[in-house]
Amino acid sequence: MTAFRADAVPEWNGDTAAARDLQLRLAAEVVLEDRLPSPLRTVAGLDAGFEDGGAITRAAVVLLDADTLLPLESHIARVPTRMPYIPGLLSFRELPALIEAMSKMSRTPDLVFLDGQGIAHPRRLGVAAHFGVASGLPAIGVAKTVLTGEYDEPGPQRGDASPLRDRGEDIGMAVRSRPRCRPLIVSPGHRVSISTAVELTLRCVTRYRLPEPTRLVDRLASRRDERPARRGR
DNA sequence: GCGACAG
DNA sequence: ATCTTGTCGC
């Protein structure tokens, strides 16, 4: 199975200053050049949701055929939630569960899509970049809203995009995946360039705003199906 | 000090 | 993210 760098995913001890410091060091290891398998054979979607009022983090992973976009296998992992949501430190909260879900895979994906930012982050280490450096796998962050940076409204056509800039740097792109839909915020996680991240994301979009990998995995991680049935009042 | 703030 | 029904609009 995929091996993860233990030093990149520390136990949460409440030290936010130390967490931010680690982000700065890991961000320096992010590779923004295209270093991914070609041709791409499989892509995965990885995401986390919560149960029991947030006490349990439920992570899910879905592996899809890169050409047909049909799911090949999927897994779910449940782990006790160890830390609260703190803007900018999302990855420290979700990575333990995400790694647990990844450990159940029968094979390693060529590329992983995550729900959230890649380098489009205050310290350039959103959850997709953190996951990428911790796993060594190519990764892309696809977020539904911005965390950091500004962009001009992209054109109305599918594929129209405009750069996301922050402090004079290009950190991602606002991409129109579907007409009349709010743009997706796409940024490199690891081993992929900004342009390729956009290209691959669009390649995975079918008839919905979200690309298939994150759309499918979101249903497994957050949808209310196989969750403890509620009592009717 | 004030406002912003992925999921 | 999650709590939650229906409703308006393409």
Side-chain angles (χ1 to χ4, degrees), chain A residues 73-230:
Chain A
E73 64 175 273
S74 64
H75 304 283
I76 289 179
R78 277 172 241 261
V79 307
T81 302
R82 307 165 181 183
M83 83 173 263
Y85 167 64
I86 300 174
L89 298 183
L90 174 70
S91 60
F92 290 89
R93 170 173 159 90
E94 302 189 339
L95 276 180
L98 297 179
I99 288 173
E100 186 58 36
M102 284 295 292
S103 74
K104 299 188 176 188
M105 295 247 271
S106 68
R107 44 176 172 154
T108 303
D110 287 340
L111 168 68
V112 181
F113 283 89
L114 289 97
D115 206 319
Q117 318 296 341
I119 61 169
H121 175 281
R123 290 166 293 285
R124 309 297 183 253
L125 197 84
V127 65
H130 196 159
F131 172 83
V133 171
S135 67
L137 299 176
I140 292 174
V142 178
K144 293 181 284 297
T145 62
V146 171
L147 171 61
T148 302
E150 312 173 329
Y151 65 88
D152 291 321
E153 191 66 17
Q157 305 302 311
R158 173 208 155 97
D160 283 343
S162 58
L164 175 65
R165 310 199 86 239
D166 183 47
R167 287 177 282 153
E169 285 178 61
D170 278 358
I171 58 176
M173 295 281 270
V175 183
R176 190 80 66 189
S177 57
R178 298 286 298 172
R180 288 196 204 74
C181 279
R182 285 177 296 113
L184 296 176
I185 305 304
V186 179
S187 63
H190 189 49
R191 295 172 58 179
V192 63
S193 62
I194 291 180
S195 59
T196 298
V198 171
E199 182 181 303
L200 293 176
T201 296
L202 285 170
R203 178 185 297 182
C204 291
V205 172
T206 60
R207 62 197 323 191
Y208 305 91
R209 179 165 84 121
L210 298 179
E212 290 302 284
T214 56
R215 187 181 76 82
L216 294 178
V217 78
D218 177 72
R219 296 194 330 188
L220 288 177
S222 306
R223 267 12 176 185
R224 62 183 187 186
D225 42 24
E226 66 167 86
R227 274 203 280 180
R230 297 166 13 208

